[in-house]
Amino acid sequence: MLAELTLRALTPAAPLARRFGLLREGIALWSRGLRQRKAWEPHQARCRAIIADIAAALPRRRKVVVLGSGPARDIPLEALCASFDEVVLVDIVHLPLLRLKLWRRPKVILVSRDLTGAMAWLAGEAESRQDPLADLANDGSVDLVISANLLSQLAWPVAEWLEDNPARAAALPDDLPGRCIAWHLDDLARFEGHVCLISDVEMVERDRGGAIHDRLDLMYGVALPKEDESWLWPVAPFGEAERDREYVHKVCVWRRYQGRSSAL
């Protein structure tokens, strides 16, 4: 708890990141990753291996953009820095521990950005949703884009904000959390370079006997093409959230994402 409070005090974050709970969640994710490093490592290692494999096969490696970089435990930073001229890590919060890790890596650029594009609009600071990737999508030197375990994280801050602001929510589309997911997928399809999408898509809650007590669609009904591969990630093993419940996510990978199969 003390470490988390210290991180919260030391982490530079935009007011919107604090207002929508993303600084708090980023620190909680870092902390849970430490506690569950043994349970999470197979998932993280597989992500790193897939990204490294895709990067190695590219004919050109000028710039790579990682969307949803977080603590970067699932990103093969050494391999990317060795292969690309420039590595751009994009997230709304970059913790000091990551900044310290990267201080001797001049190729790495940290970009702090709301990847929903909707938070300033919801907060009344913009008239409409902003385009979070306009500059990067128009950059012809981007040879690889990785959306790294980000997609499922775009909807919940908006869903929670709508619950906490019912008067404002009444004037907004009911399916806005799902639209945040759809917008990101459409944003990815704009890139000319190779796009790899990695995301958890479903959460299952089960007891020690294996009985399923809940199943949650993390995509909010947004349709996706058939994945190239998938696996299970024990996000909250027994004892993390509840003594006799575990929460397991299905993770899917699209090694070359080219667009959605349907639109909202």
Side-chain angles (χ1 to χ4, degrees):
M1 179 63 72
L2 180 58
E4 292 186 14
L5 291 173
T6 302
L7 267 181
R8 185 174 299 188
L10 294 177
T11 301
L16 283 176
R18 297 178 184 272
R19 184 171 178 178
F20 280 81
L22 290 163
L23 173 59
R24 179 188 69 248
E25 181 63 21
I27 293 171
L29 178 67
W30 165 81
S31 183
R32 182 184 295 178
L34 285 181
R35 290 193 304 272
Q36 300 298 339
R37 54 186 174 272
K38 183 177 180 179
W40 286 21
E41 179 52 23
H43 158 72
Q44 294 171 341
R46 195 161 179 178
C47 291
R48 293 193 301 266
I50 288 169
I51 295 170
D53 183 53
I54 291 171
L58 293 177
R60 291 194 298 182
R61 293 183 288 273
R62 292 168 296 175
K63 183 182 295 186
V64 55
V65 175
V66 180
L67 304 173
S69 51
R73 293 173 177 141
D74 50 1
I75 307 300
L77 284 175
E78 290 189 10
L80 295 182
C81 287
S83 300
F84 287 84
D85 298 330
E86 190 173 332
V87 179
V88 182
L89 305 183
V90 186
D91 214 322
I92 196 166
V93 172
H94 299 287
L95 297 179
L97 296 170
L98 176 65
R99 294 176 182 273
L100 182 62
K101 181 179 179 180
L102 298 175
W103 76 278
R104 295 186 66 179
R105 295 185 182 275
K107 286 186 177 182
V108 180
I109 297 174
L110 300 180
V111 176
S112 297
R113 189 166 299 175
D114 163 28
L115 289 169
T116 70
M119 292 181 186
W121 169 45
L122 292 176
E125 299 175 9
E127 294 184 358
S128 61
R129 180 195 179 245
Q130 299 171 314
D131 186 343
L133 296 177
D135 55 338
L136 295 170
N138 291 325
D139 185 345
S141 68
V142 176
D143 293 318
L144 176 61
V145 180
I146 307 292
S147 179
N149 295 295
L150 165 70
L151 193 59
S152 68
Q153 300 300 302
L154 296 173
W156 72 259
V158 173
E160 288 191 358
W161 187 92
L162 292 174
E163 288 182 7
D164 294 338
N165 297 270
R168 172 80 167 124
L172 297 169
D174 293 338
D175 61 350
L176 192 56
R179 291 191 184 203
C180 291
I181 290 174
W183 284 329
H184 182 68
L185 293 171
D186 291 342
D187 288 342
L188 292 179
R190 294 158 55 195
F191 283 90
E192 294 183 4
H194 189 113
V195 176
C196 171
L197 171 61
I198 303 174
S199 179
D200 46 350
V201 300
E202 182 184 58
M203 183 278 289
V204 171
E205 174 191 347
R206 59 192 183 197
D207 62 25
R208 292 185 182 272
I212 294 176
H213 292 261
D214 195 12
R215 190 183 296 272
L216 181 64
D217 174 20
L218 301 177
M219 295 294 97
Y220 282 75
V222 177
L224 285 160
K226 175 64 177 175
E227 69 273 11
D228 296 314
E229 57 192 280
S230 65
W231 62 84
L232 297 180
W233 172 21
V235 171
F238 293 111
E240 172 64 35
E242 298 182 54
R243 178 180 177 182
D244 295 317
R245 294 284 191 274
E246 68 170 348
Y247 297 83
V248 179
H249 289 204
K250 178 183 178 181
V251 178
C252 292
V253 176
W254 294 264
R255 285 178 171 260
R256 188 174 191 120
Y257 179 78
Q258 294 179 302
R260 292 190 289 143
S261 57
S262 64
L264 281 178

